[in-house]
Amino acid sequence: MICLHLLVPVIRHQSVRPLRAAAASARHLRFAAVPRPNEQDAALFGNSHIVPATPVDDPVSPYTRTTFCGHVSLSQHSGKAIALTGWVESIRKLSPELTFIVLRDGTGKVQLVLRNRPDLVKQFDSQASLESVVAVKGKVVPRPAGDKQTQELEVDSVEVVNRAAKLPVHLFGPPDSLPSEDARLKHRYLDLRRPALQSALRTRSLAMHSIRTALLAHNFTEIETPTLFKSTPEGAREFLVPTRRPGLFYALTQSPQQYKQLLMASGFDRYFQFARCYRDEDQRADRQPEFTQVDLEVAWADPPTIRGIVQDVMVKAFDECLGIKLDTQRDFPVFTYDEVMARFGSDKPDFRFAGVCEIRQVDDLLTPEMSETHSLDVIHVPADKYPLSGAEVKKLAAAAKALGVTVVKSKGSAPTLPYLSPTARWPYPAGDLAFLHLRKGKHLRGGSTALGTWRTQFLFTHLPSTLRPTPSRPFAFQWVQGFPLLTPVALDDKPAYALGANDAQWSATHHPFTAPHPSDLPLLSTRPGAVRGQHYDLVLNGFEIAGGSIRIHQHELQQRVFELLGMGEAQTRQFAHLLDALRYGCPPHGGIAIGFDRLMSVMLDRPSIRDVIAFPKSSGAEAMVGSPSVVGEGQLREYHIDVKKN
């Protein structure tokens, strides 16, 4: 006889029906008896139950609390006895019979008072210290009228549960007195006690719940995909994971891109997950070697479908987390790549400053010869809006020169520059400034232009603070689409192994699975650089917070794009699993990934994504635990690794 032992969860609603069917089809199996939480489960599994041989002697915590520090209020607790627990943030002893204490927990703070209790004052003095963990009981009483605090807890008893040693860093003074970020990251468990970080991580949790709820309402299925993958030339540098089989390595997933496309071929119309991703990139304030993205994919989708889903997600998250009402028709305009690059010199402009010092392409100022091969980008800076002294203009000119930008103070006529036509009409009044950049080529490429970079530096770094523009609104979204499908290899910063052969001319602007725009398919053979990809980004306050595309779903087209990228047979073979899935019948599909860490940092107006991650890394390392770290020779031998020291 076969005996099947099951660990059975509590069953509710839809899950009961398939389990009943499974039980009916396995009547020859004898199930181990389990406790039954309700009649429905009893009907499914019978009435037998397990009786413990001896009573369970569970210890009861002596430290109970009746409410939280941040929830204490006169309206609910005045005159009532309550119990609190938390950390001692500050101590102010005024006399042997009077001490004020600020007690803090994850919800907020409350003032405690030891009044006319020299015994408690003495006990507290001898046992407690800053950041000690204590449990207190007492009565809530009002503070005198006009006092900043409206209530306090008059303590009857206090117990120091865990006395804190002298802190290596002090974190609860004024914001400008905080220790350096390196010192705080070294003791991150202390840094996380700060209300600002507590609030950020609790809001992050709420946002995850909100996004998950919104996607489930759109009939998505949450599916986890592996993080141990194989090395493939997708774009970024990978983290390799050795195995005990000589010469064989895993690679941590840069994203679940290939797995989610395989799920589309598997019949899951709508997939999502909060995916952990890993990229061995140079570290900046908005980058981490491991990060979280909200990854989703949709069968039978077009760009408006994807945009509509993501907009619903943003509306729900901003409403539930910040109480901000977004309008899907008004707050999510769609622009082309060419338009934002021409107006702002950036593929992720901050639309809170739209209309401020925008770029104009003024090719009619060029000589006829120069206008055939170059474009002239100009920013006009009116003197009445930006009154700058001669010394300030000289400093601007020196800084702009490093980017190849010329600063001209207009005299009412065209300046003498070799690329300007002497007969062209100069449109800028005397006294105004003009920033000029001669750009090679007639097509825009990359993520920014020199004048776009200078525009940002001028407005937010070089302008006196009194003249800097203020944002038109707290949050400004915009979609950007119509990116070039391909980027010249010379302009790409991908690692060499992620590109095609040495003679390859093109790399994928997004990734090699992005579908070309249907109207541009004939150009793949004749003018591949002019082909637009079905790639779209969602930009918020100048940050790309989401990026996605419609994918190639036909085996032949995917193979053709691989060839355009200069990928030989060996590189193409690394994607055999995906090509096979396309060959065996895969519906049209598209998706997007929301950079969750970045989204939270922008929502909460934090300068770095490290401020919204519990245990972030800095410059690729985590000082608190000391990672990455050296491993012993024995482990290296087990994984067939020989470290070569410089």
Side-chain angles (χ1 to χ4, degrees):
M1 177 181 292
I2 300 173
C3 180
L4 180 64
H5 294 268
L6 296 178
L7 178 62
V8 183
V10 176
I11 310 297
R12 292 290 185 273
H13 308 304
Q14 300 97 321
S15 58
V16 172
R17 189 171 296 163
L19 282 177
R20 279 184 177 143
S25 67
R27 296 187 186 280
H28 63 287
L29 302 179
R30 180 167 60 84
F31 287 80
V34 295
R36 307 292 181 252
N38 58 37
E39 292 182 2
Q40 188 179 48
D41 297 334
L44 177 60
F45 293 106
N47 293 318
S48 61
H49 61 279
I50 296 173
V51 177
T54 57
V56 177
D57 184 20
D58 283 329
V60 177
S61 172
Y63 311 115
T64 57
R65 56 184 171 188
T66 56
T67 188
F68 297 93
C69 294
H71 297 171
V72 176
S73 68
L74 283 177
S75 60
Q76 293 187 33
H77 304 106
S78 181
K80 295 181 180 178
I82 63 171
L84 300 173
T85 60
W87 284 267
V88 174
E89 181 170 314
S90 68
I91 304 169
R92 191 159 50 99
K93 184 178 178 182
L94 301 184
S95 74
E97 295 186 348
L98 182 61
T99 294
F100 291 100
I101 303 158
V102 173
L103 187 69
R104 184 193 71 251
D105 65 13
T107 65
K109 307 175 186 179
V110 66
Q111 180 168 282
L112 313 181
V113 58
L114 308 181
R115 182 182 286 117
N116 299 324
R117 291 293 303 271
D119 54 330
L120 287 182
V121 172
K122 184 177 180 181
Q123 174 196 350
F124 192 83
D125 279 352
S126 63
Q127 297 178 2
S129 59
L130 292 179
E131 291 303 298
S132 291
V133 177
V134 301
V136 299
K137 294 179 180 179
K139 185 172 65 174
V140 177
V141 297
R143 289 285 298 160
D147 195 275
K148 185 178 179 180
Q149 301 290 333
T150 58
Q151 73 274 324
E152 63 190 10
L153 184 71
E154 205 167 64
V155 176
D156 294 326
S157 68
V158 57
E159 180 175 354
V160 178
V161 179
N162 195 342
R163 177 184 171 87
K166 184 178 179 181
L167 300 180
V169 289
H170 187 64
L171 301 164
F172 297 100
D176 57 359
S177 69
L178 280 176
S180 68
E181 186 182 40
D182 288 343
R184 288 183 283 118
L185 289 174
K186 173 70 174 176
H187 304 279
R188 184 64 166 181
Y189 45 88
L190 296 178
D191 196 27
L192 285 174
R193 296 180 190 177
R194 288 194 295 126
L197 291 181
Q198 288 271 323
S199 175
L201 292 179
R202 292 176 193 278
T203 305
R204 179 186 174 106
S205 173
L206 179 59
M208 293 184 84
H209 172 76
S210 175
I211 292 171
R212 178 176 279 112
T213 302
L215 290 173
L216 291 173
H218 277 279
N219 297 317
F220 278 78
T221 302
E222 187 169 5
I223 301 175
E224 297 169 290
T225 57
T227 54
L228 287 175
F229 189 44
K230 60 182 285 187
S231 180
T232 59
E234 282 187 52
R237 287 183 178 83
E238 302 167 315
F239 285 102
L240 298 179
V241 181
T243 71
R244 287 177 292 168
R245 288 173 284 179
L248 296 182
F249 294 81
Y250 292 108
L252 297 180
T253 47
Q254 300 176 38
S255 78
Q257 180 62 46
Q258 295 180 58
Y259 280 118
K260 66 180 179 179
Q261 290 194 242
L262 294 171
L263 284 172
M264 296 299 101
S266 304
F268 291 93
D269 274 19
R270 295 190 168 200
Y271 136 95
F272 86 98
Q273 69 171 312
F274 284 85
R276 296 294 286 172
C277 304
Y278 307 86
R279 296 177 189 174
D280 189 8
E281 297 180 313
D282 296 333
Q283 301 307 304
R284 300 199 300 265
D286 60 345
R287 295 287 176 93
Q288 285 282 298
E290 56 178 320
F291 56 94
T292 302
Q293 67 184 35
V294 186
D295 198 60
L296 58 97
E297 199 79 5
V298 182
W300 307 102
D302 54 17
T305 300
I306 303 297
R307 291 201 303 265
I309 292 167
V310 174
Q311 287 166 192
D312 285 350
V313 165
M314 294 297 161
V315 166
K316 188 172 180 65
F318 273 71
D319 185 16
E320 295 191 357
C321 296
L322 302 179
I324 292 176
K325 306 289 185 182
L326 298 174
D327 185 290
T328 56
Q329 301 300 316
R330 179 196 64 212
D331 293 324
F332 296 90
V334 182
F335 295 88
T336 65
Y337 167 82
D338 286 341
E339 180 179 354
V340 298
M341 286 290 288
R343 288 175 58 186
F344 304 101
S346 171
D347 63 359
K348 44 182 178 291
D350 190 341
F351 260 65
R352 295 176 301 167
F353 303 97
V356 179
C357 292
E358 290 193 11
I359 299 170
R360 296 289 182 266
Q361 191 171 317
V362 195
D363 290 357
D364 56 359
L365 291 177
L366 297 174
T367 62
E369 299 80 8
M370 193 64 73
S371 65
E372 291 180 2
T373 56
H374 290 72
S375 295
L376 182 65
D377 292 337
V378 181
I379 292 177
H380 175 216
V381 183
D384 57 346
K385 288 187 178 180
Y386 302 97
L388 299 169
S389 67
E392 289 171 328
V393 172
K394 284 184 178 180
K395 287 182 179 179
L396 287 177
K401 187 177 180 180
L403 294 170
V405 174
T406 301
V407 176
V408 173
K409 187 164 185 177
S410 177
K411 296 179 180 178
S413 58
T416 304
L417 293 170
Y419 50 82
L420 294 183
S421 170
T423 60
R425 177 182 172 275
W426 180 254
Y428 308 113
D432 289 1
L433 295 182
F435 301 147
L436 282 65
H437 179 254
L438 184 66
R439 175 166 49 82
K440 188 176 182 180
K442 308 302 274 188
H443 297 289
L444 292 155
R445 290 285 180 183
S448 63
T449 65
L451 197 56
T453 301
W454 171 246
R455 174 180 178 268
T456 300
Q457 291 184 9
F458 167 68
L459 290 176
F460 305 111
T461 303
H462 297 294
L463 264 183
S465 58
T466 55
L467 297 179
R468 290 177 190 173
T470 56
S472 59
R473 53 197 184 276
F475 299 101
F477 290 89
Q478 74 270 359
W479 288 98
V480 180
Q481 62 181 38
F483 291 81
L485 179 71
L486 304 171
T487 296
V489 166
L491 301 179
D492 205 317
D493 60 357
K494 294 185 180 73
Y497 61 79
L499 300 170
N502 290 336
D503 58 350
Q505 293 182 308
W506 303 103
S507 69
T509 301
H510 186 212
H511 56 52
F513 317 116
T514 296
H517 194 287
S519 301
D520 296 345
L521 281 173
L523 299 176
L524 277 176
S525 302
T526 58
R527 296 173 55 211
V531 177
R532 292 165 296 166
Q534 295 191 65
H535 169 192
Y536 34 79
D537 284 349
L538 181 60
V539 178
L540 173 60
N541 292 5
F543 294 91
E544 176 200 330
I545 60 164
S549 67
I550 301 301
R551 323 300 186 188
I552 298 170
H553 69 280
Q554 296 164 318
H555 168 268
E556 297 82 2
L557 181 57
Q558 184 65 79
Q559 186 73 49
R560 189 176 174 191
V561 169
F562 282 165
E563 291 170 1
L564 268 175
L565 297 174
M567 292 171 57
E569 183 179 345
Q571 280 186 305
T572 301
R573 197 181 305 122
Q574 292 178 285
F575 298 102
H577 51 281
L578 180 60
L579 291 170
D580 284 346
L582 301 183
R583 184 185 292 115
Y584 298 141
C586 182
H589 58 282
I592 197 166
I594 302 169
F596 186 61
D597 305 312
R598 192 171 303 168
L599 170 64
M600 294 309 304
S601 69
V602 178
M603 284 179 68
L604 299 177
D605 194 25
R606 303 300 167 89
S608 168
I609 61 173
R610 291 192 289 269
D611 296 327
V612 296
I613 299 173
F615 298 104
K617 291 175 174 58
S618 178
S619 300
E622 189 177 347
M624 182 182 66
V625 300
S627 68
S629 62
V630 175
V631 298
E633 290 293 334
Q635 279 183 286
L636 292 175
R637 282 194 300 271
E638 188 176 13
Y639 287 94
H640 312 283
I641 294 175
D642 181 19
V643 178
K644 293 183 178 180
K645 299 180 179 179
N646 293 330

